Structure formats: C-alpha cells, structure tokens
C-alpha cells in the first residue's frame, strides 16, 4: 500500500467548503476544514492530482512534523528529526516563512534565520551547486506557531496555483483565477448552460469556464516545487498527468465575453490563446447598458465583477453604474428562473445601488479585503 502523507491546502478564506468538495471529488481522505485551509491525507499521486487539477486551492503544503517546545533549542530538535535529504539537494534554494500567533516563540526573523542555519548545518551541500543559477529551484519551509503549538510544512506547489500562466496581460483589479473558478462552482454553472460575462476585463471568468467545460486541468504546465525533490518519482506524476490529458473533452460550450473597451477584448483573447481556448470563447465589444439575455434552452449564468470606485471622487459615478447594472439585470434576467446572476460586491453601499433581491451570499477575503459574492 502506498504511503499516506499529511497535507494542508491553503484556501482564500470563505472558499473552504467549496475546496473541501473539490478535495473529496479528487479522493482526499480525512478532510478537516479550518479557517483559510483544509488538512487532509493521501498518497503522492493524490498530491499530484490535486496540484494539477484543483481549481480553487492556492497552494498545498506537506506536513513534516508538529511540535510543542517553544524554544529555539526545542525547534532545533524537531528540525533534526526531518529527513531533509528527501526534499533538498545541491540545486535547492531554501526559503523559510514563519507565522507566529500568541506563542512564546514569537520573533519571526530570528526563527527563520535559526531554522535555515540548522538545516544548512545538517545538510551543508544545500544550494552548493552554483554552476548554473537558472537551474536552482526554490523550496519553502513554512513554520507556523499558534497558541504554543508548532508545525513544520514544506510547500509542494511552488508558485501559487491561481497563477495558471495564461494571464500575462490584465485589466484593472482582475479577479483571482481561483476565486473565479470557485464562483462558477458555487453558482453551480453547468457546461451545457450559457455563460455570459460582460465587463470581462482580462477574461478570467470565460477562460476558467472554458477549462471547466472541457475538463482541462488548470495547472498541467505548472512547475511544482515537489517535482524537484530528490525523492520525486516521475512515474507517479506521469500517471496523473496522462490521465488528465485523457479527460479533456472536445466540446463547444456557449461562452460569451464582452467589454466596452476593445483593449480588454484583445487581452481576453490573448490570454485564452495561451491556454488554447480562444476557439471556445465568443467575444464582442459592448457597453453593459446594451446587455441582453441570449436565447438558450438550458439557461445560463451571468457573473459580474464591476469596478468598485473606491477613490475619492469616483464613488458616486461608480454607484450610478451599479444602479444601471441592477436595472439591466431586473429587465433582462430576474424573471427567468433558468438564469442566475452572481456579482462580486465590496460593501452594502454597492449592494443597495443594485436594488436586487439577493438569494444567497458568500463572503470571501480577496486582495486583503472582504468581498461578498451575491446571487440575484
């Protein structure tokens, strides 16, 4: 039987239950929801499957060890118990991130420096190969101290999983890819339904929907940090990657993206081309005031991330736009029960401007701010 490991998925706060359902569908075990994350167990193949296929998780950590000692000497003891040769070698560039909360051991920089020195003493050849700095790979150790309980974890994902690699161009205040995918799941959008995304910006909703519809793994080309571990087994990863490629469906979803700015349409199509999805998205230049519900037999979803206008002098103009958006939704979509509208809303003032009957709410931390996803 394959060895079971303990993992922790980092999630945007508010998306925990959506991510838990995704982890269950991907066959994770012992799923336990916490604020901003989920602990679970599984094999290395499961880890690869989640890193490659997860649409809403930010990153996945492997739990290495838990400890109770709140002294540097105690931390040294636990660091010495980890089999670092499985994870680090001459090409590794070790980084240490420390988060401490209500613990006696509370100087983050001192803890990080001490941990790096200890690990380098245990494995003096870490990062010693300077022949080609481009071949070096970053490995990040996370040390979390919370109420005098400590956890050592190693990042398996590398760059954040929301950075799919397609959004090299973006408009103002783009929505994070993982949040867009989570909103589509929360709204229960189905590939046979129409997706209508006005004010499309950089096309995130449309592109994430196209990947969902065709069952394309969002992170298949991601450079995961665990791929560079000395203990990495190519056959485990290849099995998962090959299965992901076999799952891709050749279908033509009904996805429409529009924006008043031609530059936003160009950005959307350029981003879609990087994922080879441009043929699945129909674009048009259109003012939100011209928005009309398309004829469809299966209904659809209207996701919106309008501008917030938080700067002084902008808010009144922006609230007027939100009022117009609400009016257009009432005129075109509210009476049709086969359609759902979801809106990313920053506060109650913007919600009131919409003047819509809200059926569901989902509060999420995004960009350091709390926003509410409204379903009208």
């Amino acid at each position: 039987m394959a060895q079971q490991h303990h993992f922790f998925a980092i999630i945007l706060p508010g998306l925990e239950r959506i991510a838990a359902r995704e982890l269950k569908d991907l066959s994770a075990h012992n799923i336990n929801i916490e604020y901003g994350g989920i602990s679970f167990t599984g094999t290395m193949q499961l880890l690869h499957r989640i890193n490659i296929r997860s649409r809403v998780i930010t990153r996945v950590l492997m739990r290495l060890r838990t400890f109770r000692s709140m002294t540097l000497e105690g931390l040294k003891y636990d660091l010495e118990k980890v089999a670092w040769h499985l994870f680090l070698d001459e090409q590794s560039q070790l980084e240490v991130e420390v988060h401490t909360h209500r613990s006696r051991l509370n100087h983050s920089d001192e803890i990080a420096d001490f941990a790096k020195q200890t690990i380098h003493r245990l494995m003096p050849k870490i990062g010693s190969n300077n022949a080609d700095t481009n071949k070096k790979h970053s490995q990040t150790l996370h040390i979390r101290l919370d109420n005098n309980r400590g956890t050592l974890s190693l990042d398996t994902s590398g760059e954040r999983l929301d950075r799919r690699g397609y959004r090299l161009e973006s408009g103002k205040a783009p929505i994070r890819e993982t949040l867009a995918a989570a909103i589509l799941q929360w709204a229960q959008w189905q590939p046979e339904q129409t997706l209508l995304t006005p004010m499309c910006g950089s096309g995130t909703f449309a592109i994430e929907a196209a990947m969902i519809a065709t069952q394309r793994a969002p992170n298949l080309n991601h450079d995961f940090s665990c791929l560079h571990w000395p203990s990495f087994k190519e056959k485990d990863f290849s099995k998962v990657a090959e299965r992901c490629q076999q799952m891709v469906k050749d279908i033509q979803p009904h996805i429409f993206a529009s924006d008043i700015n031609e530059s936003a349409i160009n950005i959307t199509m350029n981003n879609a081309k990087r994922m080879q999805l441009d043929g699945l998205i129909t674009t048009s230049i259109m003012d939100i005031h011209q928005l009309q519900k398309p004829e469809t037999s299966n209904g659809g979803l209207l996701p919106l991330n309008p501008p917030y206008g938080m700067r002084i002098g902008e808010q009144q103009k922006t609230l007027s736009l939100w009022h117009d958006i609400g009016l257009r939704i009432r005129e075109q979509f509210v009476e049709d029960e086969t359609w759902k509208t979801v809106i990313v809303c920053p506060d109650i003032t913007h919600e009131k401007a919409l003047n819509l009957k809200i059926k569901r709410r989902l509060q999420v931390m995004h960009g350091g701010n709390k926003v509410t996803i409204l379903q009208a």
Side-chain angles (χ1 to χ4, degrees), residues 154-202:
L154 197 62
D155 177 32
T156 75
S157 302
E159 191 168 23
R160 286 188 343 224
L161 298 179
D162 59 282
R163 294 173 177 171
R164 317 281 203 223
Y166 65 77
R167 204 167 68 187
L168 301 184
E169 304 171 80
S170 64
K172 293 181 179 179
I175 190 168
R176 190 181 287 194
E177 292 88 327
T178 45
L179 179 54
I183 290 171
L184 296 174
Q185 292 185 33
W186 181 72
Q188 299 176 319
W189 177 74
Q190 301 298 317
E192 62 269 19
Q193 295 179 311
T194 296
L195 187 91
L196 184 61
T197 170
M199 309 177 82
C200 65
S202 52

Side-chain angles (χ1 to χ4, degrees), residues 8-11 13 16 32-39:
F8 186 79
I10 297 175
I11 321 289
E16 294 91 346
N32 183 45
I33 296 176
E34 303 176 27
Y35 177 77
I38 301 172
S39 61

Side-chain angles (χ1 to χ4, degrees), residues 301-325:
L301 177 67
L302 175 71
L304 280 161
N305 182 30
Y308 302 161
M310 294 303 191
R311 294 178 182 175
I312 296 174
E314 289 184 357
Q315 190 171 49
Q316 196 56 45
K317 181 179 178 182
T318 302
L319 290 176
S320 177
L321 173 62
W322 279 66
H323 173 271
D324 293 348
I325 290 172

